[in-house]
Amino acid sequence: MTSTTSLSRNGARSMAQVSLFAALMAVMGLIPKIDLPLGVPITIQSLGVMLAGVMLGPWRGLQSMLLFLAAVAVGLPLLSGGRGGIGVFLAPSTGYLLGYALAACITGAVMYALQKSPQLSPRRTAIHAFVAALIGGLIFEHLFGMLGLMAMAKLSFAQAFKATLLFVPGDFLKCILCAVIVHTVARGMPDWRFGGRHD
């Protein structure tokens, strides 16, 4: 009975966290976007992808982004600028959008691996978060974005690579901000299971 209760509580906690980070993405969508000529706007929502991965781990990070994208697909205007609906997945930005789920998963997997360190501190956890966000939330997210630009905007690899470079400075700053947020959480909530560790 105790084991069943524990599993039930863990399941409820996981569902709550997944829903929370999907909602966080929606809130970030209220922040105005910056439109670029290539059809892919600059938004703050990529920070939400990074945070979902480092805070929840690969599986729940993936789930939270899939939940968010499903809400967008059914028409809820949750993307920056009040965008939503199937049409947004047929635009040049489709690679970045579909990459949200995969990037969160990769970010979470990297964070999980790094958090196996025997000596963890808020500072070290923040460094791990920066590295995970850099690999999953910046490198892989932009790789998916490039594939989308090549498929939807018919750009060459070189053109897509040059286009995505416009986002790198801002996303690098988001990696730093992600690490700062994680450091704060690690100090205030030392039992938080970053990267899904110990789940």
Side-chain angles (χ1 to χ4, degrees):
M1 187 70 177
T2 303
S3 177
T4 303
T5 302
S6 178
L7 287 173
S8 178
R9 287 179 179 174
N10 286 337
R13 183 185 65 187
S14 293
M15 289 178 59
Q17 290 177 341
V18 166
S19 300
L20 174 64
F21 276 82
L24 175 64
M25 286 290 287
V27 170
M28 288 181 169
L30 298 175
I31 299 174
K33 60 186 174 71
I34 301 174
D35 289 309
L36 296 177
L38 56 99
V40 181
I42 295 175
T43 77
I44 195 67
Q45 286 177 307
S46 51
L47 174 61
V49 175
M50 298 174 186
L51 287 171
V54 299
M55 298 289 289
L56 302 183
W59 177 235
R60 283 178 293 166
L62 173 69
Q63 288 179 313
S64 67
M65 292 302 104
L66 288 177
L67 177 59
F68 172 74
L69 291 174
V72 171
V74 298
L76 297 181
L78 304 180
L79 295 174
S80 291
R83 296 170 298 140
I86 292 295
V88 300
F89 297 99
L90 302 174
S93 60
T94 186
Y96 293 96
L97 295 180
L98 296 178
Y100 280 0
L102 295 172
C105 184
I106 293 168
T107 301
V110 174
M111 187 67 176
Y112 177 84
L114 293 173
Q115 285 295 99
K116 288 184 177 180
S117 173
Q119 294 182 332
L120 293 174
S121 65
R123 181 175 179 273
R124 179 165 297 199
T125 298
I127 293 172
H128 291 170
F130 174 79
V131 173
L134 190 67
I135 294 173
L138 193 155
I139 295 174
F140 276 93
E141 172 67 8
H142 286 291
L143 176 60
F144 300 134
M146 285 174 56
L147 294 175
L149 288 172
M150 292 167 65
M152 305 304 295
K154 307 303 180 185
L155 300 183
S156 67
F157 177 85
Q159 290 172 324
F161 180 75
K162 289 179 181 178
T164 200
L165 287 179
L166 294 171
F167 302 95
V168 171
D171 283 351
F172 185 81
L173 292 177
K174 291 173 194 172
C175 291
I176 296 174
L177 181 55
C178 177
V180 171
I181 293 171
V182 166
H183 184 269
T184 302
V185 174
R187 290 187 63 185
M189 304 174 67
D191 293 330
W192 187 278
R193 298 170 180 178
F194 294 99
R197 189 169 176 265
H198 302 313
D199 278 2

